Amino acid sequence: MSFATAMEVNVEARRILAVSISKLYASRSQRGGLRLHRSLLLSMVMRSARDIYHSSRESEQPNGEQPATEEPMDTNCDPKEKARLTPDLADTSADMAPGVSDKLDESDCDITEDKENLSPAKQSRKRRGKASAAPDFLPSKRARLEPGEERYAAPVGSCRAGVGDYRSALTLNQVIPAF
Amino acid sequence: MRPGGGSSDVQWCFSQVKGAMDDDVAEADIISTVEFNQSGELLATGDKGGRVVIFQQEPESKNQPLRRGEYNVYSTFQSHEPEFDYLKSLEIEEKINKIRWLPQKNAAHFLLSTNDKTIKLWKISERDKRPEGYNLKEEDGRYKDPNTITALRVPVLTPMDLMVEASPRRVFANAHTYHINSISINSDCETYLSADDLRINLWHQEITDRSFNIVDIKPANMEDLTEVITAAEFHPNQCNTFVYSSSKGTIRMCDMRASALCDKHTKLFEEPEDPNNRSFFSEIISSISDVKFSNNGRYMMTRDYLSIKIWDLCMETRPVETYQVHEYLRSKLCSLYENDCIFDKFECCWNGNDSVVMTGSYNNFFRMFDRGYQQDVTYEASRENSRPRSILKPRKISTGGKRKKDEISVDSLDFSKKIIHTAWHPLDNIIAVATTNNLYIFQDKLN
């Protein structure tokens, strides 16, 4: 895939992710409660967008090691191996629809934030207890990677120096709240 | 190409339209289900406000033998009310998801209506006589002083104006954790099934305090959830057989004789996906929104977002016929995802002899596919084309660059006007098509 096409795909994937997240939020206030079928379909779209986003980002690497292919997408991956939402997505939340990034910001206040890219209005200094924390299906904002560090290798609940009590990033399937 | 499409010699005409004329649609008036009874004499609609309206066909008049009777309001009642689940802090919508008529056994009519959580059995009966001449009661119902009674008489039934009463005879509640999407009455005339996103329950029509769970696809860990049940139906004449469709585009047929819990299917109907059509939205558009057995019980039809598929029950590997409903929307899936239209759950229906199938689309279009003549046609349900007995003109959508006269371009389609619910009279060429809040009745032109 050419670099330009990978960029377009990347942008499209992020846009679809943003739209999906806002739909999930909207469905919380729907009469009749969350619809399981709709939530499942939304999470599937989000997973596809995430996979595309990953593979298009890989194809943007200068060494071009893993040329990204758009199809066939692996949507049958083993549940245990499902990657978490990439932190890069959280970092680029400022690029997404303002409404969405507001919500992303609220989810985790203890994590090192990219303060340069946040407008003052979006910085939330509120500390929230766990009980009143944002719902589970939000992607967490995780600290930015230092150069050379690997994200995928990090197990759930690992602590890094300088990062306080952060909520572990959740798999996309936890988008469907437990009934 | 013969005019009128559908079956080669049928010309469809406007017959009636029911519902308010305003463009301002009250949400409670949005029609959510349409169903003819087994004789076609009664047509029931359910709406988002929890009401059921039943229309009855007038008998054909002797003066105009070639005109079918009109459908007029027979009964209206509030079937379901909004409720609140205090445990989950969730409102339960009163919207009627499905209505199914029971086969008629006596003078009264019975139907099952369901919202997201509760199914109700309603009895609709006529009263055209009332007893008069009670010994102990006055005509207005007040009790007489027994000391004033000097004679004894037998009360007599005297005619009165016809009154149609609807009374709830059974309430089948508290059996579904998830939202009910289907009910289907068994050909054994005793039981029926109800299906939600993850489970299917079998009920006896007389027993409300228990039901049997016959399908359960809830995973031990909800994080492993990959598909949900989208529709279920009993076979029209094999009382042991039912099917259920899934959000993954598969249909499973189960035999209740095999085991009490029918988690293992007898047959699995699935068509391999075309890799050329892969997109972000492949899963959504392959989700089946409706499944219907043919009247003869040899085929079943499924509706997904873009197509209708006819399956031979003896062949699981692929459908025997596939009809594209609105293939021109495939390139617009992203926009349809953003405006939520991609989640619309279109229904489909067979005609009485299984030769034609019908389903709805956008812009108040509906489509008919003639299986025998391999013809398809698009019609529009609109007030403009609603002069009495005016013949419906086939509509064409232009997908290429050049738009011919009378064609409609894809970009000018109104996606807020959709036909989700359609029904075909079981014995005659009369169809009921629901737009957002209006019910259109069309019939073929009798010559």
Side-chain angles (χ1 to χ4, degrees):
Chain A
M1 184 190 288
S2 74
F3 181 73
T5 320
M7 275 295 294
E8 287 167 11
V9 167
N10 185 324
V11 166
E12 183 66 5
R14 275 174 26 200
R15 193 176 70 81
I16 288 177
L17 260 169
V19 167
S20 306
I21 289 171
S22 60
K23 281 189 192 299
L24 265 173
Y25 263 111
S27 60
R28 288 171 65 207
S29 52
Q30 236 178 7
R31 271 191 87 209
L34 272 164
R35 303 258 152 195
L36 187 63
H37 185 195
R38 184 184 164 93
S39 305
L40 179 69
L41 294 177
L42 284 173
S43 73
M44 284 176 166
V45 170
M46 287 168 72
R47 190 191 313 147
S48 298
R50 182 202 63 189
D51 292 345
I52 293 286
Y53 180 80
H54 277 319
S55 48
S56 70
R57 282 207 52 108
E58 280 162 14
S59 75
E60 281 173 29
Q61 299 298 329
N63 55 14
E65 242 172 25
Q66 275 170 307
T69 47
E70 269 193 272
E71 61 188 30
M73 285 189 280
D74 174 19
T75 53
N76 293 325
C77 48
D78 183 72
K80 296 188 186 76
E81 290 167 9
K82 285 193 176 109
R84 293 173 201 136
L85 274 177
T86 170
D88 297 313
L89 225 48
D91 283 342
T92 55
S93 64
D95 296 335
M96 292 187 192
V100 175
S101 59
D102 274 342
K103 287 156 184 158
L104 286 173
D105 287 346
E106 285 165 21
S107 69
D108 255 312
C109 308
D110 294 327
I111 302 207
T112 311
E113 293 175 15
D114 180 10
K115 291 198 166 57
E116 286 171 44
N117 289 334
L118 289 176
S119 72
K122 292 175 192 164
Q123 287 177 27
S124 168
R125 303 211 178 272
K126 252 200 272 190
R127 285 192 175 272
R128 294 171 190 230
K130 281 214 158 118
S132 58
D136 285 349
F137 55 79
L138 275 180
S140 70
K141 282 201 80 170
R142 302 171 81 188
R144 217 195 245 172
L145 279 175
E146 297 302 315
E149 275 187 349
E150 276 277 323
R151 174 68 62 184
Y152 298 120
V156 176
S158 69
C159 289
R160 289 172 55 235
V163 178
D165 168 35
Y166 76 95
R167 196 179 356 273
S168 58
L170 298 160
T171 63
L172 262 184
N173 274 349
Q174 280 171 304
V175 158
I176 304 162
F179 270 73
Chain B
M1 173 71 164
R2 293 169 206 197
S7 161
S8 67
D9 52 0
V10 172
Q11 284 190 309
W12 289 96
C13 310
F14 170 80
S15 174
Q16 295 170 270
V17 61
K18 305 286 187 192
M21 299 275 289
D22 338 312
D23 288 329
D24 214 11
V25 179
E27 188 156 337
D29 294 337
I30 295 173
I31 296 171
S32 51
T33 186
V34 180
E35 185 82 355
F36 279 101
N37 73 338
Q38 282 81 2
S39 66
E41 183 207 357
L42 298 177
L43 176 60
T45 61
D47 65 24
K48 254 193 151 185
R51 290 165 303 199
V52 171
V53 180
I54 302 176
F55 301 93
Q56 183 189 43
Q57 189 179 30
E58 299 302 320
E60 283 172 26
S61 73
K62 292 187 186 127
N63 298 332
Q64 291 166 325
L66 291 179
R67 289 250 298 276
R68 292 188 189 84
E70 280 195 342
Y71 282 86
N72 296 318
V73 177
Y74 180 63
S75 174
T76 304
F77 56 93
Q78 187 74 33
S79 172
H80 288 71
E81 298 275 2
E83 287 174 58
F84 198 79
D85 181 340
Y86 295 98
L87 205 60
K88 294 180 187 163
S89 291
L90 282 180
E91 209 183 338
I92 301 170
E93 273 191 284
E94 66 277 29
K95 172 168 78 88
I96 308 296
N97 292 336
K98 283 286 181 320
I99 289 172
R100 290 287 181 263
W101 290 93
L102 268 61
Q104 194 175 8
K105 288 181 191 170
N106 51 40
H109 298 278
F110 289 86
L111 61 80
L112 284 174
S113 70
T114 185
N115 68 350
D116 284 337
K117 299 286 183 182
T118 305
I119 306 139
K120 294 187 184 179
L121 175 68
W122 287 88
K123 176 181 178 182
I124 297 103
S125 50
E126 293 182 4
R127 192 195 291 269
D128 60 359
K129 296 184 185 59
R130 68 160 184 262
E132 275 179 12
Y134 282 105
N135 290 289
L136 299 173
K137 274 198 288 190
E138 305 282 1
E139 292 307 322
D140 60 7
R142 281 178 304 139
Y143 279 96
K144 287 181 183 171
D145 177 1
N147 297 322
T148 61
I149 299 166
T150 53
L152 198 62
R153 57 184 176 169
V154 175
V156 172
L157 287 172
T158 51
M160 58 179 258
D161 289 338
L162 178 68
M163 199 166 74
V164 181
E165 298 171 322
S167 57
R169 305 301 287 183
R170 302 276 188 278
V171 177
F172 305 90
N174 302 320
H176 286 280
T177 309
Y178 303 95
H179 296 105
I180 296 174
N181 52 56
S182 312
I183 46 174
S184 177
I185 296 170
N186 201 346
S187 52
D188 67 5
C189 301
E190 282 188 345
T191 56
Y192 73 94
L193 63 76
S194 58
D196 66 29
D197 293 314
L198 296 179
R199 298 190 178 102
I200 301 179
N201 293 334
L202 182 72
W203 302 82
H204 191 283
Q205 290 168 18
E206 299 293 323
I207 299 169
T208 58
D209 62 354
R210 76 194 76 170
S211 66
F212 287 103
N213 175 240
I214 52 177
V215 172
D216 188 342
I217 64 167
K218 183 175 179 181
N221 187 351
M222 280 298 275
E223 287 183 28
D224 298 333
L225 182 73
T226 55
E227 66 183 326
V228 297
I229 297 168
T230 52
E233 195 177 56
F234 266 119
H235 191 277
N237 37 58
Q238 292 170 16
C239 59
N240 52 286
T241 304
F242 66 93
V243 294
Y244 67 92
S245 60
S246 85
S247 54
K248 271 191 166 171
T250 62
I251 309 99
R252 287 172 175 80
M253 177 183 282
C254 301
D255 186 333
M256 295 196 293
R257 299 169 301 187
S259 71
L261 190 59
C262 299
D263 277 358
K264 274 202 189 134
H265 51 263
T266 313
K267 294 191 184 184
L268 174 67
F269 297 83
E270 188 174 17
E271 183 177 29
E273 195 191 350
D274 180 359
N276 295 327
N277 282 334
R278 204 80 181 84
S279 77
F280 281 118
F281 309 106
S282 296
E283 277 108 353
I284 301 188
I285 63 169
S286 65
S287 177
I288 292 173
S289 52
D290 195 14
V291 65
K292 292 260 168 51
F293 278 104
S294 62
N295 293 293
N296 61 19
R298 290 177 47 205
Y299 297 93
M300 67 177 173
M301 160 167 58
T302 57
R303 175 71 156 98
D304 52 62
Y305 189 64
L306 297 179
S307 69
I308 275 183
K309 294 179 181 174
I310 312 271
W311 303 79
D312 185 324
L313 296 185
C314 302
M315 187 165 80
E316 301 165 60
T317 49
R318 64 175 192 279
V320 289
E321 294 153 43
T322 301
Y323 301 105
Q324 301 302 332
V325 181
H326 36 220
E327 181 68 13
Y328 48 81
L329 295 183
R330 194 181 286 276
S331 56
K332 307 221 174 281
L333 294 180
C334 199
S335 319
L336 294 165
Y337 179 70
E338 288 175 33
N339 66 16
D340 270 357
C341 284
I342 206 173
F343 297 102
D344 287 333
K345 295 184 184 166
F346 291 97
E347 293 174 4
C348 53
C349 59
W350 297 85
N351 73 340
N353 61 15
D354 301 330
S355 60
V356 185
V357 296
M358 173 168 69
T359 190
S361 178
Y362 294 102
N363 209 75
N364 281 348
F365 287 165
F366 58 99
R367 302 262 281 138
M368 287 184 185
F369 300 91
D370 188 316
R371 302 174 61 211
Y373 291 98
Q374 288 293 307
Q375 286 174 358
D376 63 271
V377 69
T378 305
Y379 293 121
E380 183 180 356
S382 72
R383 293 271 177 181
E384 289 76 44
N385 303 333
S386 302
R387 284 167 296 115
R389 292 185 301 289
S390 61
I391 294 178
L392 278 183
K393 204 176 98 171
R395 307 308 302 264
K396 276 227 172 301
I397 293 99
S398 89
T399 49
K402 266 191 178 176
R403 189 175 73 87
K404 293 187 201 148
K405 185 174 164 267
D406 286 347
E407 280 189 355
I408 299 175
S409 77
V410 178
D411 296 318
S412 57
L413 292 175
D414 187 344
F415 289 96
S416 66
K417 293 185 179 171
K418 52 191 89 164
I419 290 177
I420 304 280
H421 311 285
T422 57
W424 205 307
H425 191 290
L427 304 169
D428 215 341
N429 272 339
I430 304 173
I431 55 175
V433 161
T435 59
T436 309
N437 67 329
N438 288 139
L439 185 72
Y440 285 80
I441 299 172
F442 301 102
Q443 55 191 43
D444 70 347
K445 189 167 172 344
L446 291 172
N447 293 312

